[in-house]
């Protein structure tokens, strides 16, 4: 009877999950508050009257990349320039000091990975999935965070680590994601990306990648249109996530199975609804 046949798509018709790509700040770990404190301590050291409150920082996070964030802030709050400096060189010098300060604070603060991050990365590795990092921060900041939160060989876990040093166009541009997909030689619809900001979500979605957003207090109000899931975190067994957008297919925490479902891999068997007699 045709109506109750189950159609199984053959392998080359099914999109298979190949890779997970992680943003860093706010996604792998709750680092934005440490960034904010580092910015403010550096401003004080440079004698600047600037103070980025949490409320102001929420708005400033709409600019990806700390140096550009400082430079744009300068336009509205022009500082007394030291001799021989222009806005660009002064912003770069301030940002360099902030980056060195941030590294110290990250280590002293023992900032840990967000719940579920290590579990998901290990599960992905165990299933042979490829891993990438797509971030607007500096490679040195990624190394500081992961040197203190992952085993010593962690760099070999990530096939591509794309940072603000290689990718000049920052999020919401899709450039960083397009770069990783190209380097990996895979299709964007075989990937799930993890982000925490509107810019990050825009960057991945416009690269054709499904996104899982894990929000925090700096970004929970952001507009995440186009995201597959918006959650308060990855969750863990016994610690279910809270969903604010999207369909988790009954899952209560993010695992590889859920990622496979998001790319459509596990929908390969499409049970046809029995046509009701009265049709
Ligand atoms: C987050 C950013 C970064 C940080 C500050 O990067 O936009 O600019 O806020 O770090 P992502 P820097 O979410 O892409 O990881 O000062 O090093 O930019």
């Amino acid at each position: 009877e045709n109506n109750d046949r189950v159609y199984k798509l053959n392998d080359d018709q099914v999109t298979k999950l190949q890779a997970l790509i992680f943003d860093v700040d706010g996604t792998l770990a709750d680092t934005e508050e440490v960034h904010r404190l580092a910015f403010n301590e550096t401003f004080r050291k440079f004698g600047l009257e600037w103070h980025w409150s949490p409320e102001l920082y929420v708005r400033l996070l709409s600019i990806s990349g700390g140096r550009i964030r400082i430079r744009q802030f300068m336009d509205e709050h022009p500082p007394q320039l030291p001799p021989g400096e222009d806005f660009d060189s002064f912003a770069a010098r301030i940002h360099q000091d902030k980056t060195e300060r941030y590294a110290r604070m990250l280590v002293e603060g023992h900032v840990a990975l967000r719940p579920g991050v290590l579990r998901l990365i290990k599960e992905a590795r165990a299933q042979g999935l490829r891993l990438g990092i797509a971030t607007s921060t500096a490679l040195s900041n990624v190394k500081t965070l992961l040197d203190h939160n992952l085993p010593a060989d962690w760099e070999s876990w990530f096939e591509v680590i794309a940072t603000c040093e290689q990718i000049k166009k920052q999020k919401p541009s899709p450039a960083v994601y397009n770069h990783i997909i190209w380097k990996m030689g895979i299709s964007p619809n075989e990937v799930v990306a993890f982000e925490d900001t509107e810019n990050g979500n825009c960057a991945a979605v416009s690269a054709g990648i499904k996104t899982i957003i894990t929000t925090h207090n700096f970004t929970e109000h952001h507009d995440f249109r186009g995201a597959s899931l918006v959650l308060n975190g990855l969750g863990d067994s016994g610690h279910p996530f809270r969903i604010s957008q999207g369909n988790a297919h009954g899952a209560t925490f993010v695992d590889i199975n859920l990622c496979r479902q998001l790319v459509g891999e596990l929908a390969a068997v499409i049970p046809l609804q029995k046509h009701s007699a009265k049709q």
Side-chain angles (χ1 to χ4, degrees):
E1 166 68 17
N2 247 357
N3 282 348
D4 60 7
R5 276 185 58 194
V6 168
Y7 285 86
K8 177 146 178 48
L9 300 172
N10 47 43
D11 267 6
D12 61 4
Q13 288 176 301
V14 178
T15 301
K16 285 190 177 306
L17 179 70
Q18 299 285 345
L20 303 183
I21 301 177
F22 292 89
D23 160 59
V24 175
D25 293 305
T27 301
L28 285 182
D30 257 330
T31 53
E32 286 297 355
E33 179 59 6
V34 183
H35 280 298
R36 187 182 74 84
L37 296 174
F39 280 114
N40 285 331
E41 280 191 28
T42 290
F43 298 158
R44 275 197 297 278
K45 174 190 166 190
F46 277 78
L48 295 162
E49 300 290 306
W50 300 345
H51 178 73
W52 287 358
S53 67
E55 297 70 32
L56 175 56
Y57 197 63
V58 162
R59 291 205 301 283
L60 290 170
L61 271 179
S62 60
I63 307 161
S64 286
R67 186 183 55 72
I68 302 162
R69 199 173 297 148
I70 292 169
R71 179 62 189 80
Q72 286 189 16
F73 189 77
M74 249 182 202
D75 288 340
E76 295 144 42
H77 306 82
Q80 187 75 33
L81 279 177
E85 295 267 24
D86 61 20
F87 277 10
D88 289 343
S89 68
F90 194 30
R93 202 153 61 79
I94 294 168
H95 188 245
Q96 181 54 41
D97 179 275
K98 173 265 171 184
T99 298
E100 289 154 13
R101 188 182 306 279
Y102 170 76
R104 292 195 299 274
M105 292 169 79
L106 207 51
V107 174
E108 287 154 18
H110 305 294
V111 177
L113 298 180
R114 286 189 69 172
V117 167
L118 183 55
R119 169 184 57 75
L120 188 66
I121 286 174
K122 285 182 171 174
E123 193 184 342
R125 284 171 47 78
Q127 297 190 31
L129 293 174
R130 300 156 76 177
L131 297 174
I133 284 178
T135 179
S136 321
T137 197
L139 180 60
S140 63
N141 289 340
V142 181
K143 286 179 186 267
T144 305
L145 176 71
L146 298 184
D147 281 348
H148 290 84
N149 282 290
L150 291 179
D153 66 333
W154 67 267
E155 275 196 72
S156 67
W157 296 11
F158 296 92
E159 188 176 326
V160 185
I161 300 179
T163 71
C164 68
E165 283 97 349
Q166 294 112 309
I167 309 296
K168 289 309 157 205
K169 285 191 74 177
Q170 296 305 320
K171 303 169 184 174
S173 157
V176 64
Y177 282 102
N178 290 337
H179 173 78
I180 295 175
I181 296 295
W182 168 72
K183 290 271 280 188
M184 287 186 168
I186 56 180
S187 157
N189 63 13
E190 298 168 322
V191 179
V192 172
F194 297 82
E195 277 280 0
D196 67 312
T197 63
E198 184 169 337
N199 278 356
N201 181 55
C202 283
V205 168
S206 49
I209 293 172
K210 298 274 188 308
T211 56
I212 294 181
I213 305 299
T214 51
T215 60
H216 47 84
N217 51 10
F218 283 125
T219 65
E220 57 202 2
H221 65 287
H222 278 193
D223 175 345
F224 292 113
R225 76 187 65 194
S228 299
L229 276 175
V230 179
L231 312 168
N232 68 330
L234 294 179
D236 270 318
S237 138
H239 293 90
F241 49 48
R242 204 175 52 248
I243 304 177
S244 49
Q245 185 181 311
N247 174 3
H249 305 281
T252 57
F253 60 92
V254 178
D255 62 4
I256 298 300
N257 238 20
L258 177 54
C259 296
R260 292 188 192 282
Q261 282 181 301
L262 292 185
V263 299
E265 178 175 337
L266 298 187
V269 179
I270 304 168
L272 285 177
Q273 306 306 325
K274 281 190 183 303
H275 293 287
S276 58
K278 57 179 177 301
Q279 259 178 354

